[in-house]
Amino acid sequence: MDNILTQQEAMLRSGQISEVDYTLKLKLEKGSQEYEGETTVRFVYSGGKKGKLKVDFVSKKIEILWINGKEETNYEKKESALFLSGELLAEGKNELKVKYKNAFDHSGSGFHKFTDPSDKAEYMHTDFEPFEAHRLFPSFDQPDLKATYELEITGPSEWTYIHNTVPKSEETQGNYKNIKFNKTKKFSTYLFSLIVGPYAVWEDKAGEIPLRIFCRKSLSKYMDAENLFAITKEAFGFLQEYFGVPYPYGKYDQIFVPEFNMGAMENVGAVTFSESYIFRGPRIYSEYLNRANTVYHEMVHMWFGNLVTMKWWNDLWLNESFADYLSYYSMSNGKIFPDALEHFYVREEWAYREDQLSTTHPIAGKAENTLEAISNFDGISYSKGASVLRQLMYYVGEEKFRDAMRLYFKRHAEKNTVLNDFLSCMSETSGIDIRGWSKEWLETTGVNTLSPVRQNGRLFLHQGPSATNGLLRTHALQASLFREKNGKLEEVWKKRILVKGKETLLEENYSGEADLLLLNTEDFAYAKTYLSKESLPILKRSLHTLKDRFSRRVVWGSLWQMVRDAELSPKEFLELALDQGLKEPDLSVRNSHILTKALTVIDNYIPEAEKRTWSDKLNSIAKERSLLAQNPEQEQILWFRILENTSKSPEQLSYLKELLDQKKSIPGIAMDQERRWVILSRLSAYGDPESSKRIEEETSKDNTDLGAKKAFLAKVSFPDPKTKKESWERFLQPKEGDSTDFLRYGMRGFQWNHQKQLLVSYTDSYFNSVISVYETRDPHFASAFGHMMFPSFEPDPNLLKRTQEFLDQNKKLPELLRKDLQQQRDDMQRTLKVLEKYKN
């Protein structure tokens, strides 16, 4: 696979190339798997006519190539690039023109094409981050060669065509439409967008900014455009004023596209979203909040990432950390989701997990090439970077932090930046030299652990070093002391604390007994926090009496860190979850911090012999609670999910089947299409003899692409050697028309913990085939295969040993695979450590 650009190549090229602009002409036909293109690239060259100039380009066929008006055949074409001899170029202005044919992509990236099985409508969308624009047109596909784009497109007249700008002219002749779009502003190639198809559309305005929402026709009945427009308007209302720069790109489109690989993509003025955000039934509050957060996140990118862009992918955090934090921060300043920063605390668990893996990297990381850049779209670049920015805002103050953003945009609009550009703006506005802070936080790895200690009448805070490098850091945080009075926890004090070194004194003369010292209330610091062992009996009695919801979140978050670090018995956590946890009044706390974690503990951190006992307990509670007619809808959704997730015995599965057949019902829970597929997959996984017939019947009722994907998941789940063998072979040798997204659904159904005996032979198959998958398939498929097909149905010292040997013996593994396998190994080590410590 040579579809890679190295940082070295990019630096060399940006030293030779400047003042780039593109003119694109595309022709699309109905029912075709390919399209015609003609691209003109104008640029200034200063390479001294030496060597070769690399132009990134994946194409099926180049028909004619011109350089400066002259047809040229003396060029070299490789899989993903054209190489032009420096002798063919003029010093100064040049024009490269290429006429070509190309094939659509089916991996979710590049120029992806999808046919809706329910109405045979065709949809296309681009997705180019970090290095895919050259799948559509020949380009200098790197972030620091910003350019303008002028697009002309001809295609079927009934299709809608969406681009970064609005059309300047449109002509229809017969069955075809020709559209010329306005020239764009200057931006990086990966932000170019083209979305095509017979989309349904909704329109509105945010002040003077025209807003549109699009989704495919067959999903339009589920689109709650009014809600999404309200969120979009609120976001514009805050961000334009906050950044001190009006929205730079005229119009703002949000398009929900099929088979999208990520949550969303911030293309200039035409943001694409995963269709998973089109809710086909009622959801719980946190899911609505997460969707709104994605809307905010992509809008923050219009400034952080689009207006000012990192020079190269090693500074990806200059895009993602800011979008990740400022989206939650902005929401917390609005009226729709004012509690957003509490949900940011939930998201940080992603950062804590990844920062303790051997694959962690500094926030301001390195990316030697575009493949390595893909692996940096992770919990460090997003969630840890965001958390550290929250810490910085607390440290320098909200106004100074905001003023640094304003200076940054004023100074670097339409340019590319590196770490020091941000640091100098922050240092100027805050009056503090931020470079020392950067060295401590942005340029190191690992997370510190803060614990309360009571000793000799003193109360202090102990800082443990980050595991691999022994670093202690400076933390600004808030701590709160609660005391038990008449069976209730009441706040005694709340303090802002600056933590330096191993010990920080909180109280010199301390005599508290029944106290709970809670570290990092309101979550200003990036650090794991523990609770003292002495406070556990208090929590078992009175945790639910703690009035402040955010503080209750932090208690459960600390308990979870202690379980993962083998500092708290998993059984003790489960006992607390099934007692105090059930008294938790807030559903989103109960869902994210208690019930979801209880399921994870049962699946991973208790011995095999005890899993069924705990699962049955939870199933019984879910069944009992779900039958309470007075429960609000969101609570019912939660209990149904737990009930389904813990149904394993014949009796429990029989109850699900009765729900499916509507012989029994749960108040407020409609047996909609999504729930039907969820139950069918579980029945199939547990070998229900009717499952094959039921899947066929369900497929005939649900003729959507999602129906086909969920049917595939359900079929693959069946515990039968022939089924498993056929699906394994299909993942490795897909049938024609199998998209990456379709195969991902199948992979989700392949491994079930109770099918260990059936699956154990695939351990060899996995290690024999995984290198080839990463070498030959697109990165999104490869990573899905690497994670989902890894034989993780039970933590096993033999599997740990085998994984380590595989890593040791294969020194030249693809980098993405090495990272994915190291993470699997690290997770196994952690799980085995917890199991070993608490096996009795």
Side-chain angles (χ1 to χ4, degrees):
M1 186 191 283
D2 79 340
N3 191 20
I4 292 174
L5 182 70
T6 67
Q7 184 176 14
Q8 208 71 35
E9 287 174 315
M11 285 167 68
L12 176 69
R13 192 159 65 181
S14 59
Q16 298 178 337
I17 298 294
S18 60
E19 295 177 44
V20 185
D21 70 73
Y22 298 93
T23 302
L24 288 84
K25 290 183 182 178
L26 297 172
K27 186 166 186 200
L28 307 180
E29 297 279 1
K30 246 183 175 177
S32 177
Q33 284 306 311
E34 57 181 49
Y35 56 92
E36 292 175 21
E38 183 181 295
T39 296
T40 304
V41 192
R42 296 175 196 85
F43 57 95
V44 169
Y45 171 74
S46 57
K49 293 183 169 287
K50 293 174 188 166
K52 291 181 177 177
L53 176 65
K54 182 180 185 182
V55 181
D56 308 306
F57 190 37
V58 171
S59 65
K60 190 172 180 181
K61 184 189 178 192
I62 291 178
E63 295 187 322
I64 316 175
L65 182 147
W66 298 269
I67 296 176
N68 297 326
K70 183 181 169 217
E71 188 176 337
E72 189 56 68
T73 55
N74 188 22
Y75 59 85
E76 186 186 351
K77 176 72 178 87
K78 290 200 171 174
E79 183 199 335
S80 67
L82 284 167
F83 291 90
L84 307 175
S85 165
E87 291 171 4
L88 298 173
L89 301 169
E91 281 290 314
K93 290 184 178 179
N94 285 267
E95 183 181 276
L96 166 68
K97 190 173 178 181
V98 186
K99 194 174 181 191
Y100 55 93
K101 280 192 174 160
N102 221 341
F104 288 104
D105 298 292
H106 297 282
S107 63
S109 294
F111 194 20
H112 180 85
K113 184 168 188 183
F114 166 85
T115 303
D116 189 333
S118 62
D119 60 6
K120 303 296 178 261
E122 297 173 85
Y123 295 91
M124 291 128 271
H125 74 262
T126 55
D127 187 47
F128 289 162
E129 190 176 33
F131 183 61
E132 306 280 3
H134 62 284
R135 290 188 179 281
L136 178 65
F137 59 98
S139 53
F140 303 119
D141 200 359
Q142 62 190 71
D144 64 338
L145 285 175
K146 289 190 167 188
T148 58
Y149 309 83
E150 211 162 352
L151 172 66
E152 179 183 342
I153 190 159
T154 303
S157 53
E158 68 266 39
W159 288 353
T160 301
Y161 300 84
I162 307 151
H163 179 46
N164 308 91
T165 56
V166 294
K168 64 179 176 186
S169 71
E170 199 170 309
E171 283 178 26
T172 303
Q173 288 185 330
N175 296 327
Y176 287 93
K177 191 190 281 185
N178 176 270
I179 301 178
K180 292 178 179 170
F181 287 91
N182 280 311
K183 192 173 193 173
T184 70
K185 288 200 169 182
K186 212 172 170 186
F187 54 77
S188 305
T189 45
Y190 75 91
L191 296 163
F192 178 98
S193 72
L194 173 61
I195 300 100
V196 179
Y199 279 92
V201 60
W202 294 260
E203 299 189 39
D204 205 332
K205 272 194 160 189
E208 293 303 305
I209 304 162
L211 306 178
R212 295 186 298 179
I213 288 171
F214 297 87
C215 80
R216 55 183 158 119
K217 287 186 299 187
S218 62
L219 294 180
S220 59
K221 61 187 172 191
Y222 302 112
M223 176 55 72
D224 48 346
E226 195 177 327
N227 174 265
L228 289 163
F229 278 136
I231 293 159
T232 307
K233 289 180 208 177
E234 185 183 75
F236 267 128
F238 180 81
L239 290 171
Q240 292 192 99
E241 194 280 325
Y242 182 74
F243 289 145
V245 176
Y247 172 64
Y249 301 113
K251 57 94 178 178
Y252 198 70
D253 293 332
Q254 296 175 101
I255 312 101
F256 293 79
V257 298
E259 302 195 318
F260 204 57
N261 283 319
M262 315 295 274
M265 177 61 208
E266 67 269 19
N267 313 304
V268 164
V271 177
T272 41
F273 291 87
S274 161
E275 288 179 340
S276 63
Y277 288 122
I278 299 175
F279 296 152
R280 301 169 198 221
R283 296 297 178 101
I284 59 174
Y285 176 78
S286 58
E287 290 166 315
Y288 289 108
L289 185 143
N290 289 342
R291 178 175 71 174
N293 177 257
T294 305
V295 171
Y296 265 85
H297 180 109
E298 303 312 317
M299 195 183 290
V300 173
H301 273 313
M302 295 300 135
W303 289 266
F304 271 108
N306 296 8
L307 183 64
V308 182
T309 315
M310 80 258 132
K311 185 170 175 59
W312 178 249
W313 299 103
N314 54 334
D315 275 319
L316 175 66
W317 75 281
L318 283 171
N319 286 11
E320 297 303 347
S321 301
F322 284 90
D324 213 53
Y325 175 50
L326 291 172
S327 56
Y328 284 96
Y329 175 76
S330 308
M331 287 169 79
S332 74
N333 281 276
K335 290 180 180 169
I336 304 176
F337 294 103
D339 59 340
L341 287 171
E342 291 188 41
H343 294 261
F344 177 65
Y345 176 72
V346 180
R347 182 168 171 81
E348 282 172 305
E349 288 173 358
W350 183 24
Y352 292 131
R353 176 189 169 266
E354 293 215 355
D355 208 12
Q356 293 175 85
L357 296 169
S358 58
T359 52
T360 188
H361 57 85
I363 295 166
K366 70 176 183 67
E368 287 177 10
N369 58 53
T370 47
L371 207 53
E372 198 175 330
I374 292 171
S375 74
N376 285 345
F377 285 79
D378 60 13
I380 306 300
S381 300
Y382 284 72
S383 185
K384 181 182 178 181
S387 184
V388 163
L389 289 175
R390 177 155 170 73
Q391 166 82 151
L392 180 61
M393 182 188 269
Y394 188 59
Y395 183 55
V396 303
E398 293 191 32
E399 285 190 15
K400 287 178 178 173
F401 188 90
R402 180 204 62 202
D403 292 345
M405 309 294 100
R406 292 177 173 180
L407 178 61
Y408 182 74
F409 294 128
K410 190 177 169 186
R411 189 171 284 172
H412 301 293
E414 292 200 333
K415 295 178 188 156
N416 295 83
T417 53
V418 294
L419 170 64
N420 273 334
D421 297 317
F422 161 73
L423 296 179
S424 57
C425 289
M426 190 57 74
S427 297
E428 276 180 54
T429 58
S430 68
I432 303 166
D433 186 356
I434 299 297
R435 283 169 187 79
W437 172 86
S438 170
K439 287 198 171 5
E440 194 174 38
W441 284 106
L442 300 178
E443 298 165 53
T444 64
T445 63
V447 56
N448 297 108
T449 306
L450 307 176
S451 318
V453 180
R454 307 169 191 192
Q455 211 170 52
N456 305 326
R458 297 162 80 235
L459 180 65
F460 57 91
L461 185 158
H462 176 267
Q463 178 178 192
S466 48
T468 52
N469 52 23
L471 285 176
L472 298 173
R473 295 179 180 85
T474 307
H475 306 261
L477 59 88
Q478 193 173 268
S480 302
L481 186 72
F482 299 92
R483 188 157 291 156
E484 202 177 17
K485 289 179 186 171
N486 304 320
K488 290 185 177 178
L489 282 167
E490 294 180 7
E491 189 176 277
V492 179
W493 53 248
K494 185 188 281 183
K495 294 180 181 177
R496 186 181 194 273
I497 294 158
L498 198 64
V499 176
K500 288 187 176 182
K502 273 189 183 177
E503 287 185 8
T504 303
L505 184 66
L506 299 177
E507 275 197 21
E508 184 66 68
N509 299 306
Y510 173 73
S511 57
E513 286 301 322
D515 285 352
L516 167 68
L517 177 62
L518 197 52
L519 303 174
N520 201 21
T521 46
E522 294 185 54
D523 185 38
F524 293 111
Y526 175 75
K528 289 191 295 175
T529 56
Y530 286 175
L531 300 163
S532 71
K533 295 282 168 72
E534 296 94 326
S535 63
L536 287 173
I538 302 164
L539 294 176
K540 286 176 183 177
R541 291 192 300 268
S542 306
L543 170 51
H544 70 286
T545 69
L546 197 56
K547 273 187 192 168
D548 180 58
R549 181 179 60 198
F550 207 157
S551 294
R552 296 196 307 273
R553 278 190 195 278
V554 173
V555 169
W556 286 104
S558 298
L559 290 167
W560 177 240
Q561 295 293 359
M562 292 168 76
V563 170
R564 278 179 44 82
D565 289 353
E567 294 292 334
L568 175 69
S569 154
K571 287 179 212 168
E572 210 165 353
F573 180 88
L574 287 173
E575 284 161 3
L576 202 53
L578 299 191
D579 176 35
Q580 288 290 315
L582 298 180
K583 295 171 186 169
E584 168 54 55
D586 186 86
L587 282 178
S588 67
V589 176
R590 204 191 304 167
N591 175 45
S592 56
H593 294 288
I594 302 166
L595 294 174
T596 305
K597 297 298 189 292
L599 286 172
T600 306
V601 168
I602 292 167
D603 283 347
N604 296 286
Y605 295 141
I606 56 174
E608 196 64 33
E610 296 174 39
K611 287 184 178 185
R612 183 56 71 83
T613 306
W614 284 101
S615 179
D616 286 350
K617 274 186 193 176
L618 201 45
N619 184 276
S620 169
I621 289 166
K623 187 175 179 181
E624 183 189 317
R625 294 290 181 100
S626 70
L627 295 174
L628 301 175
Q630 71 271 27
N631 285 345
E633 180 183 52
Q634 297 214 348
E635 183 158 2
Q636 293 298 78
I637 294 170
L638 202 52
W639 288 127
F640 174 78
R641 289 178 185 177
I642 299 292
L643 180 75
E644 181 276 323
N645 221 294
T646 53
S647 291
K648 295 167 184 177
S649 71
E651 185 191 2
Q652 291 161 351
L653 293 162
S654 173
Y655 181 62
L656 285 188
K657 200 188 255 191
E658 287 179 308
L659 290 172
L660 183 66
D661 293 337
Q662 298 184 10
K663 289 175 182 171
K664 290 198 172 159
S665 64
I666 294 172
I669 291 289
M671 201 41 57
D672 62 22
Q673 194 59 68
E674 294 203 12
R675 291 191 182 112
R676 295 183 68 78
W677 280 121
V678 161
I679 292 176
L680 267 176
S681 296
R682 182 161 286 271
L683 293 174
S684 177
Y686 279 87
D688 187 294
E690 295 179 342
S691 57
S692 179
K693 178 170 160 278
R694 281 174 173 271
I695 291 165
E696 292 307 317
E697 287 170 0
E698 207 63 42
T699 307
S700 66
K701 284 186 232 162
D702 182 6
N703 68 340
T704 65
D705 62 297
L706 200 58
K709 287 164 186 169
K710 292 198 170 181
F712 186 37
L713 187 161
K715 283 176 192 167
V716 172
S717 299
F718 194 73
D720 160 63
K722 183 170 176 280
T723 301
K724 297 294 181 188
K725 184 171 185 288
E726 284 174 358
S727 52
W728 180 273
E729 287 169 357
R730 188 165 178 181
F731 300 145
L732 295 181
Q733 296 292 328
K735 293 182 180 178
E736 192 178 340
D738 281 353
S739 67
T740 293
D741 197 50
F742 179 81
L743 295 169
R744 258 196 303 249
Y745 270 89
M747 286 189 263
R748 280 177 204 159
F750 191 82
Q751 300 204 66
W752 291 75
N753 288 351
H754 67 279
Q755 297 177 357
K756 182 181 176 182
Q757 293 312 312
L758 183 63
L759 297 171
V760 78
S761 63
Y762 286 94
T763 303
D764 286 345
S765 307
Y766 178 86
F767 285 107
N768 290 339
S769 57
V770 72
I771 296 176
S772 163
V773 167
Y774 276 74
E775 285 177 342
T776 59
R777 304 288 284 276
D778 74 272
H780 292 288
F781 176 88
S783 218
F785 184 91
H787 281 291
M788 286 194 257
M789 307 309 286
F790 183 81
S792 57
F793 30 82
E794 189 185 355
D796 181 343
N798 293 325
L799 179 59
L800 178 62
K801 183 169 178 270
R802 173 140 193 204
T803 307
Q804 188 57 59
E805 284 171 354
F806 186 82
L807 286 163
D808 292 341
Q809 289 161 9
N810 294 281
K811 297 298 181 195
K812 291 191 175 177
L813 285 177
E815 279 306 306
L816 261 181
L817 172 57
R818 181 168 294 281
K819 180 174 181 176
D820 289 345
L821 282 178
Q822 285 170 330
Q823 293 191 348
Q824 297 283 4
R825 175 203 63 198
D826 294 351
D827 280 338
M828 251 192 298
Q829 282 174 333
R830 181 178 287 271
T831 301
L832 290 167
K833 182 183 172 187
V834 175
L835 285 167
E836 183 58 33
K837 184 166 179 181
Y838 293 108
K839 63 184 171 188
N840 298 318

